[in-house]
Amino acid sequence: VEIRNQRDIRVYPNPADEEVTISFAEPTTVRGTVRLYSQQNRLVAEHVIPPHTTDYPLRVAQLPAGTYILQVMVGNEQWSKRVVVE
């Protein structure tokens, strides 16, 4: 997995209980994908990020407490972040 430009997105609040916001340094130019994986590497959520997005809210209230891996892909760029759900 190639991870580039880690500072180009921000994920907050972290830890979270209701939702996290994925904030891009610049608006997305193409459609993207956000995936959330459990610690057992099981896909628990997948959403489409529309073009021209600056902030994308992701609801996590329905998930059990724990640590998850958030994977964001937009065009040729990919980011991974740990997200803690309380």
Side-chain angles (χ1 to χ4, degrees):
V1 174
E2 182 179 344
I3 300 172
R4 301 183 308 166
N5 301 325
Q6 272 302 65
R7 67 189 94 98
D8 289 350
I9 68 168
R10 203 173 120 218
V11 179
Y12 63 91
N14 194 6
D17 56 1
E18 294 291 319
E19 74 178 24
V20 295
T21 299
I22 302 164
S23 182
F24 296 90
E26 297 178 7
T28 59
T29 56
V30 296
R31 189 174 79 141
T33 305
V34 58
R35 294 183 180 128
L36 196 60
Y37 292 92
S38 69
Q39 287 184 311
Q40 293 77 30
N41 204 30
R42 197 185 67 153
L43 181 64
V44 295
E46 182 172 21
H47 301 275
V48 172
I49 301 170
H52 313 293
T53 297
T54 315
D55 294 317
Y56 186 82
L58 178 65
R59 297 246 340 128
V60 295
Q62 78 284 3
L63 297 173
T67 302
Y68 295 84
I69 300 298
L70 180 73
Q71 183 182 64
V72 180
M73 292 170 286
V74 178
N76 293 328
E77 296 187 90
Q78 180 172 308
W79 302 269
S80 291
K81 300 273 188 178
R82 285 192 194 277
V83 174
V84 176
V85 175
E86 295 183 326

